Amino acid sequence: MQQIGSKTVDFCKQLGIYLLYDGREVIYVGRSTDRPLGRRLYEHTIDRLSARWDRFSWFGLLPISDDGQIGALPDNYKAANLIPALEAILIEALEPRQNRKRGDDLAAVEYLQKVDPEIEKKRIKATLDAALNKL
C-alpha cells in the first residue's frame, strides 16, 4: 500500500526489472517481461539463487490506477526493448556477482580515465611531504 489506510496493491503481475540483495549487496539483476514479477521472484526461491538473497527491489513499468489495479503498458513504451536495456545498464553498472552474463544488446566500450599529470604531481608531493614530516 502507498500509505497507512490506503488500498493494497498486488504487484505480482507487474513488469520491469528487479534486483536481488544479500544484505546490502546487489547480487543479481533480472527482468520480468514474459513472466511477471511475482513469478520471477518465486522462481528465484527454487533455483540456484534460492539461498543467496534475502530481499529485493524492483522498478515496474505498468501504471497503477487510483483503486490499486495494475493497468496496461502505455502505447509509447515498448517493454520488449525498454526492460532489457534497463537490465543491461544495471548489470554493467553494478556488476552483481550472481549474473553470469552481460546485459543483452549492450554494445558498450569501457574507457579508462587518464590521470592529469598536474594532479599526479600534487599527489606525489603530498605523499613525500607527509613522509618527510614523519622523520
Side-chain angles (χ1 to χ4, degrees):
M1 66 181 137
Q2 210 170 33
Q3 59 189 2
I4 294 175
S6 65
K7 292 193 180 259
T8 58
V9 179
D10 182 356
F11 288 106
C12 279
K13 292 185 168 59
Q14 185 61 270
L15 301 179
I17 56 174
Y18 60 92
L19 297 91
L20 301 180
Y21 297 84
D22 180 10
R24 294 185 50 83
E25 179 187 7
V26 174
I27 63 157
Y28 185 84
V29 174
R31 70 176 100 155
S32 62
T33 50
D34 56 336
R35 295 186 314 279
L37 178 66
R39 181 72 192 167
R40 291 296 292 132
L41 292 173
Y42 168 74
E43 290 169 354
H44 289 308
T45 67
I46 58 173
D47 67 8
R48 70 181 179 85
L49 298 174
S50 64
R52 296 182 174 168
W53 62 283
D54 55 18
R55 65 185 185 93
F56 68 94
S57 60
W58 57 274
F59 304 90
L61 296 180
L62 301 180
I64 308 302
S65 67
D66 289 338
D67 65 352
Q69 299 300 310
I70 294 181
L73 193 66
D75 291 336
N76 57 345
Y77 286 8
K78 297 290 183 218
N81 296 336
L82 186 58
I83 292 171
L86 292 170
E87 179 197 37
I89 289 167
L90 285 171
I91 289 171
E92 290 299 317
L94 298 172
E95 297 179 343
R97 58 185 158 104
Q98 295 299 324
N99 278 90
R100 293 180 175 164
K101 64 178 181 122
R102 294 172 52 123
D104 291 347
D105 302 325
L106 188 65
V109 177
E110 184 174 353
Y111 289 86
L112 302 176
Q113 184 172 343
K114 184 178 178 191
V115 177
D116 183 312
E118 290 303 311
I119 293 174
E120 183 63 13
K121 281 182 193 175
K122 288 178 184 176
R123 187 190 66 77
I124 292 170
K125 183 179 183 321
T127 302
L128 289 172
D129 289 345
L132 287 173
N133 288 335
K134 286 184 179 182
L135 294 177

